[in-house]
Amino acid sequence: MSPVETGRRGAAPDPSFAPEPAGAVPVIVSRDLTVGYKLHRERKRLTALRDISLSVNAGEFVVLVGPSGCGKTTFINAIAGLVQPWEGSIEVNGRPVTGPGPDRAMVFQDYALMPWRTVESNIRMPFELQKLGLSKQEIDARVRRYIDLVDLTGFEKSFPYELSGGMKQRVGIARALVSEPDILLADEPFAAIDAMTREAMQGELERFVAKTGQTVVFITHSIDEAITLGDRVVVISYRPGQIKEVVDVNLPRPRFDYDVKSLPEYSELRDHIWRLVKDEALQTAHGAK
Amino acid sequence: MSTPDLSDGGSISEATDPNRIEDTEWTAGEAWERYGSKVVTVINLTIFFIVWELFARSGAINQLFLPTASNMFLALWDGFTTTAPPGAVISGSIRDHLLYSLTNLSIGLFIACVIGIPAGLLMGGSKYVEKILSPYVWALASLPRIALVPLFILFLGFTVKMQITIIALSAVFPIIINAWAGVKTTDESLLAAARVFGASRAELYVKVVLPFTLPFIISGIQQGIGRGLIGVVIAEIFGGSKGLGYLITRAADTFNSALLYAVLLLLVIVSLTLIQITRSLEAYVAPWRRVDKV
């Protein structure tokens, strides 16, 4: 099966948002991926995702949208190496995923910060668990730089319970970025954050990954967030999750600054994706009965 | 909106200022909110003891059964300021008995921790250990410990060993069950996060499961102290010639009601003190668990 077509960024006036060179390199390749989990009590297993074929290129920002329970999280867990494929395959940088690795990092919806660790200690954790060949001085400098990047200087010794939701997630983001992974996985990172903080954080994230060239796979329930951030929006159908449509988003970047929401293309895209998601959401509602 | 330059420290954030906290004066209402409960407790207890004193003095109840509060405090004072003459079977001295009971309690709790913490962690960590041990744990935990006392007297006689066995057995089950529950309820997303960032199986236990379980273990010890104290008194009442439990029975046998009530009050104080110490310990090791508590 051929990989799904790759998306291209729209013409960008800002030089740091230049279009990718021709012959983009696929870093995440999923072929006919089928995966799910066992329901122990019922001697059954549930297929969360069926026949997912998707290729994500280096530096691409791919957003997954779909109804609750459609298996979006299972897909990024498969990329992260937290779950193994039942059928098909998933490759990162040309090698089949057998487990987590330092080339991938994740931001979690519920932050997943260790409550007994300070902000600094949480952000330092990836270096404790992975051998990245950095000296202590380099690690210290890196941790300081990322604390500064997420604007938590002064809060190094605070514990997560002392922080607001937005601040907690900035710790989660710094922890994911600090080891400078090729691939950033984000599972509804801004879902629990208030709308204004959320928009600001979207803008900063867009700017940051455009600068570093990191590949991002991002889950959201918000169509606006999907269009604001994604080069491509992958709409996933309800149980078992299958790719319903891949929508290219060719809007100028940085979208946060260009106020893309006022463009007619934005409304068209929004309308198109909403229609796709609505059908699935209705099925979810019926399925829930 | 201006574009922050990421090359020299732009940020992903809303604005935050670490120096937002300033000193401020308290209003009377705020001071009352902070210290009021302590004042109320002191007044409350004072009234309680005065009412007790007046009621006991009125003679409504024979002072053989209900001493005056002042006599009780006097017995408590004497108990701590005098030592028993050598060879005395019973005297008013509380000090030696208290020391004896607390020593046994400490040894019993120590044994309970040494057995209970690893047992609970293993049960939480391994399905097989859990399956094998859980029926015994639940069976023994639900059996009233007092029912086992005659058995231990049969095995070990009226000895310190028997008393410590009963204390350890009383305290061990809350410790096992709490440690077990702590491991089992470890937050899945914390485990997933640690795995994503490269934790091995051993690191998952050391860096996630253990710190998560620590406050559970401390609540287990807290409950264990309560149970252990019951064990102390039971063991000493049933068989022994020393300790606070023994002192209670002797005081009752000799109609020394002031001493009897003094020992009861002392048990309350010891129990509350020990529980308060473990609470502070829990707050110290797991501050995130007491955000909403005072």
Side-chain angles (χ1 to χ4, degrees):
Chain A
M1 173 136 194
S2 67
V4 180
E5 79 284 6
T6 58
R8 241 172 293 114
R9 287 195 169 125
D14 187 322
S16 69
F17 294 92
E20 288 148 25
V25 199
V27 285
I28 304 168
V29 180
S30 153
R31 287 192 191 87
D32 298 329
L33 177 73
T34 297
V35 65
Y37 39 90
K38 280 190 171 156
L39 305 169
H40 283 284
R41 288 191 184 166
E42 299 166 37
R43 276 195 289 170
K44 285 173 189 159
R45 62 178 205 174
L46 186 139
T47 307
L49 287 172
R50 180 168 292 161
D51 297 333
I52 299 285
S53 292
L54 185 72
S55 172
V56 180
N57 288 335
E60 208 183 354
F61 201 126
V62 169
V63 181
L64 308 176
V65 295
S68 302
C70 75
K72 303 181 295 285
T73 300
T74 309
F75 185 55
I76 68 167
N77 282 346
I79 301 171
L82 293 175
V83 294
Q84 297 303 315
W86 288 355
E87 286 159 40
S89 68
I90 184 136
E91 290 176 6
V92 168
N93 287 324
R95 281 188 301 276
V97 173
T98 54
D103 51 350
R104 285 152 286 151
M106 180 134 60
V107 183
F108 296 82
Q109 180 183 354
D110 57 359
Y111 323 123
L113 304 174
M114 308 298 150
W116 50 87
R117 284 174 172 251
T118 60
V119 166
E120 192 203 1
S121 171
N122 264 294
I123 293 173
R124 193 180 287 273
M125 201 171 179
F127 295 114
E128 286 174 30
L129 300 172
Q130 294 162 349
K131 300 284 163 286
L132 297 171
L134 292 176
S135 71
K136 198 183 171 304
Q137 286 82 0
E138 284 171 310
I139 291 172
D140 287 345
R142 189 83 81 79
V143 170
R144 232 175 299 124
R145 196 162 82 236
Y146 278 86
I147 287 174
D148 194 42
L149 176 82
V150 295
D151 203 11
L152 284 171
T153 307
F155 292 94
E156 290 90 344
K157 301 289 169 223
S158 302
F159 285 91
Y161 74 91
E162 298 169 311
L163 306 178
S164 70
M167 290 163 86
K168 281 184 205 163
Q169 193 56 293
R170 282 189 271 141
V171 179
I173 290 170
R175 179 179 63 177
L177 295 176
V178 75
S179 55
E180 300 186 344
D182 298 341
I183 298 167
L184 181 66
L185 305 168
D187 187 357
E188 297 188 47
F190 306 142
I193 293 168
D194 67 275
M196 282 163 75
T197 308
R198 180 178 183 157
E199 282 205 21
M201 286 176 79
Q202 287 167 2
E204 306 295 352
L205 180 67
E206 180 195 18
R207 190 170 291 110
F208 182 81
V209 296
K211 185 169 167 285
T212 60
Q214 277 160 315
T215 309
V216 185
V217 180
F218 189 105
I219 294 176
T220 182
H221 273 116
S222 156
I223 296 172
D224 285 312
E225 187 167 84
I227 303 171
T228 310
L229 291 174
D231 295 317
R232 281 190 292 160
V233 176
V234 180
V235 180
I236 298 181
S237 66
Y238 185 61
R239 272 177 194 168
Q242 287 171 298
I243 293 180
K244 190 163 184 185
E245 194 173 319
V246 180
V247 181
D248 286 348
V249 182
N250 292 311
L251 295 172
R253 282 185 187 274
R255 294 179 188 152
F256 186 70
D257 295 356
Y258 278 87
D259 195 18
V260 292
K261 285 182 186 173
S262 58
L263 299 174
E265 296 97 307
Y266 184 93
S267 324
E268 281 165 31
L269 276 170
R270 194 180 191 292
D271 200 44
H272 180 65
I273 295 170
W274 166 238
R275 259 179 243 272
L276 292 170
V277 174
K278 193 174 82 175
D279 294 345
E280 298 306 325
L282 283 173
Q283 279 193 37
T284 316
H286 289 298
K289 271 182 196 168
Chain B
M1 139 165 201
S2 68
T3 308
D5 183 1
L6 287 168
S7 57
D8 50 31
S11 57
I12 297 179
S13 71
E14 79 263 47
T16 43
D17 176 5
N19 303 317
R20 286 180 302 175
I21 298 168
E22 306 167 37
D23 291 328
T24 166
E25 297 295 317
W26 265 359
T27 64
E30 284 166 340
W32 173 253
E33 218 167 88
R34 177 78 179 76
Y35 296 111
S37 68
K38 281 176 186 149
V39 175
V40 169
T41 304
V42 169
I43 296 170
N44 185 2
L45 287 178
T46 310
I47 294 172
F48 173 78
F49 285 116
I50 289 171
V51 170
W52 174 355
E53 179 76 22
L54 295 175
F55 183 68
R57 274 172 194 261
S58 76
I61 293 179
N62 190 327
Q63 289 207 2
L64 275 179
F65 311 134
L66 183 74
T68 59
S70 53
N71 276 340
M72 178 197 68
F73 283 115
L74 208 62
L76 198 59
W77 176 256
D78 285 345
F80 275 97
T81 48
T82 58
T83 46
V89 179
I90 172 79
S91 78
S93 174
I94 295 173
R95 232 172 13 184
D96 304 343
H97 294 286
L98 175 66
L99 191 69
Y100 176 85
S101 292
L102 285 183
T103 308
N104 286 352
L105 180 64
S106 312
I107 297 170
L109 278 175
F110 178 74
I111 295 170
C113 288
V114 167
I115 296 169
I117 295 171
L121 292 177
L122 280 172
M123 285 177 75
S126 158
K127 272 187 299 201
Y128 303 105
V129 176
E130 181 179 26
K131 282 208 175 92
I132 291 165
L133 288 187
S134 63
Y136 302 104
V137 168
W138 287 123
L140 285 170
S142 58
L143 185 70
R145 247 73 59 198
I146 194 168
L148 287 172
V149 174
L151 184 69
F152 287 117
I153 292 176
L154 202 61
F155 265 102
L156 299 167
F158 295 99
T159 59
V160 181
K161 270 189 204 161
M162 176 274 288
Q163 294 177 342
I164 291 175
T165 308
I166 289 166
I167 297 163
L169 197 75
S170 303
V172 78
F173 291 106
I175 296 173
I176 292 178
I177 290 167
N178 274 279
W180 177 16
V183 176
K184 295 291 272 190
T185 54
T186 305
D187 200 334
E188 284 294 331
S189 71
L190 295 185
L191 291 170
R195 283 175 64 201
V196 164
F197 293 107
S200 64
R201 209 177 142 76
E203 282 170 327
L204 283 183
Y205 279 102
V206 175
K207 294 191 185 259
V208 183
V209 175
L210 268 186
F212 189 89
T213 307
L214 188 59
F216 286 78
I217 292 174
I218 291 171
S219 350
I221 293 173
Q222 192 179 318
Q223 292 168 30
I225 287 172
R227 301 282 189 84
L229 208 59
I230 297 172
V232 168
V233 175
I234 289 173
E236 287 167 359
I237 286 178
F238 266 81
S241 54
K242 237 181 161 192
L244 294 179
Y246 171 76
L247 197 56
I248 290 176
T249 45
R250 289 307 306 226
D253 290 348
T254 55
F255 296 102
N256 188 347
S257 63
L259 181 62
L260 174 58
Y261 278 75
V263 176
L264 291 180
L265 181 70
L266 188 64
L267 280 171
V268 171
I269 293 168
V270 166
S271 179
L272 287 180
T273 308
L274 291 174
I275 286 170
Q276 197 52 49
I277 289 171
T278 51
R279 271 200 193 152
S280 315
L281 191 66
E282 187 182 2
Y284 177 74
V285 300
W288 66 92
R289 280 176 44 130
R290 51 136 203 196
V291 182
D292 300 323
K293 293 185 212 157
V294 177

